[in-house]
Amino acid sequence: MTTEATFEGGCLCTAVRWRASCAPTRVVHCHCEMCRRSSGAAFITAAAFPLAAVQWERGEPTWYQSSPEASRGFCARCGSWLSWRRGEEIWLTVGTFDHPEAVVPQEHHMVDAQLSWVRQLEDGLPRHAGLQREPAAS
């Protein structure tokens, strides 16, 4: 992926807006239980960015510590789930992008937790039983 790009997005009510100043390092579909419960969806699609590349342009998310190593950001006004962060990396939920079609998923994570009726999703992307911490080889 190219590193020269800008992505923007925000929550449903527009109280929180973000801007990412580079291309994502990875874009994945995650099937874990925490992502399902946080989003209310069968799985989520998220894009990873270096933490330093993401700026909160309007408002800031409220953070919930969802596990010992990660916290999830959401809009306190409308409840939209925007992101999660771990260390020096932040993942932005692709549904909050102004132009979600600008990124393309590269792989599936946590397929061992995937709902059985999602199995018809045959997109040819790599599938990982657990959480892959390193970017997929290009």
Side-chain angles (χ1 to χ4, degrees), residues 4-60:
E4 294 190 30
T6 300
F7 296 88
E8 296 179 317
C11 67
L12 178 63
C13 74
T14 72
V16 180
R17 296 280 303 160
W18 56 262
R19 177 189 305 252
S21 60
C22 68
T25 57
R26 292 190 300 175
V27 181
V28 305
H29 296 303
C30 185
H31 297 271
C32 80
E33 183 179 0
M34 279 198 282
C35 285
R36 287 198 315 265
R37 290 186 181 273
S38 294
S39 68
F43 62 93
I44 63 97
T45 307
F49 295 89
L51 187 58
V54 175
Q55 307 297 315
W56 301 105
E57 298 286 303
R58 180 183 320 137
E60 287 200 22

Side-chain angles (χ1 to χ4, degrees), residues 61-77:
T62 297
W63 294 97
Y64 170 70
Q65 189 76 38
S66 58
S67 70
E69 63 181 33
S71 56
R72 296 170 191 267
F74 64 94
C75 174
R77 184 170 154 196

Side-chain angles (χ1 to χ4, degrees), residues 7-8 17 21 40 52 61-62 67 84 89-90 93-94 102 110 114:
F7 296 88
E8 296 179 317
R17 296 280 303 160
S21 60
T62 297
S67 70
W84 79 88
E89 183 175 62
I90 188 166
T93 55
V94 171
M110 304 299 290
Q114 180 175 310

